Amino acid sequence: MTALILALIAGAVVGLMLGALGGGGSVLAVPALIYLLGFTPAAATTASLIIVTATSLTALYAHARAGRVRWKAGAAFAAAGILPAAAAGAASAHLPQTVLTLAFAAIAALSAIKMLRPPDTARPKDGGVRPGKAAGAGAALGTLTGLLGVGGGFLAVPALVTVLAFEMESAIGTSLLVITANSLASLATRSDTAASLDWALIGPFIATAILGAWDGKRMAAKVSAPHLQRIFAVVLLAVAAFMLADAVT
């Protein structure tokens, strides 16, 4: 019963952050699964991919209805990351648990630092979009998603803005398409791990994450986004420090 309550609470927090900030909340899913629910790092990254896919699809539907998804460009960006996501997903099963933990701690710290900095929303000038750079960014994002089970919205949104010249609203909506595609590609290589997961905990986690995402959107209208980002960044830095200390001791 205690584990179920923790799963419900953790899912709600992840959903709130995703709904309020448009990305980054999934970075909390892996440490919550490991330290609160007792998952191994490998199982936690697989479970996180399932959670990310479910919440991203829900949010994608809402953004698509509002006309904020650029399907053609988003599909091309996602295509560059599908094979890297699948390859990284397969490779992650063979990596030592400590390596996965250290890598995840580094990504959590990077996410926090990016949130503390002013957003880079400088769009390229006309003709400045470089297909090669866009493909590289898509592949890097796919690798990150496949290896560590995170959506990577904190990297996808600025990449779409600065590399493909998307408006911010379109970047947020389209990033959900990219994240969903990469997550599904990685999950395709993890069928054995997914079958052995504790679905009695993952199901409630997903349910409260989806509900929390809707509440997060309403919360964002009442509390300034920069203030929310600073709070979340501090939490992420603390999580990264804890994971780092745990991995080296």
Side-chain angles (χ1 to χ4, degrees):
M1 182 60 70
T2 301
L4 176 59
I5 293 172
L6 289 174
L8 292 169
I9 294 172
V13 172
V14 168
L16 279 172
M17 293 299 100
L18 282 169
L21 302 178
S26 61
V27 180
L28 280 181
V30 169
L33 289 164
I34 294 173
Y35 297 108
L36 294 181
L37 302 179
F39 283 55
T40 65
T45 55
T46 301
S48 177
L49 283 169
I50 297 170
I51 294 165
V52 167
T53 301
T55 53
S56 294
L57 276 172
T58 302
L60 176 62
Y61 173 74
H63 282 274
R65 289 192 63 184
R68 296 172 183 164
V69 179
R70 294 173 61 176
W71 296 98
K72 186 175 180 180
F77 190 88
I82 288 177
L83 286 179
S92 67
H94 304 288
L95 293 176
Q97 305 294 319
T98 301
V99 172
L100 288 174
T101 302
L102 288 173
F104 193 91
I107 291 300
L110 174 62
S111 177
I113 291 170
K114 288 184 70 68
M115 287 183 177
L116 289 172
R117 290 178 178 175
D120 181 8
T121 58
R123 294 165 60 191
K125 298 178 181 179
D126 292 341
V129 176
R130 300 177 181 177
K133 192 172 182 180
L141 181 62
T143 301
L144 176 69
T145 300
L147 188 64
L148 300 179
V150 297
F154 68 98
L155 294 177
V157 172
L160 290 170
V161 171
T162 59
V163 177
L164 295 183
F166 278 29
E167 303 83 4
M168 181 57 70
E169 286 189 348
S170 294
I172 292 173
T174 306
S175 73
L176 294 166
L177 171 63
V178 177
I179 291 166
T180 300
N182 288 340
S183 298
L184 288 172
S186 181
L187 279 173
T189 67
R190 297 174 179 237
S191 57
D192 292 342
T193 305
S196 62
L197 293 175
D198 188 346
W199 288 92
L201 294 178
I202 296 174
F205 196 119
I206 292 174
T208 53
I210 291 173
L211 292 174
W214 291 105
D215 290 334
K217 289 182 179 180
R218 290 192 287 268
M219 183 175 69
K222 300 177 181 178
V223 184
S224 69
H227 184 62
L228 285 173
Q229 284 196 185
R230 284 192 293 271
I231 294 173
F232 187 49
V234 171
V235 173
L236 271 185
L237 283 174
V239 169
F242 178 81
M243 293 184 77
L244 178 63
D246 181 67
V248 299
T249 54

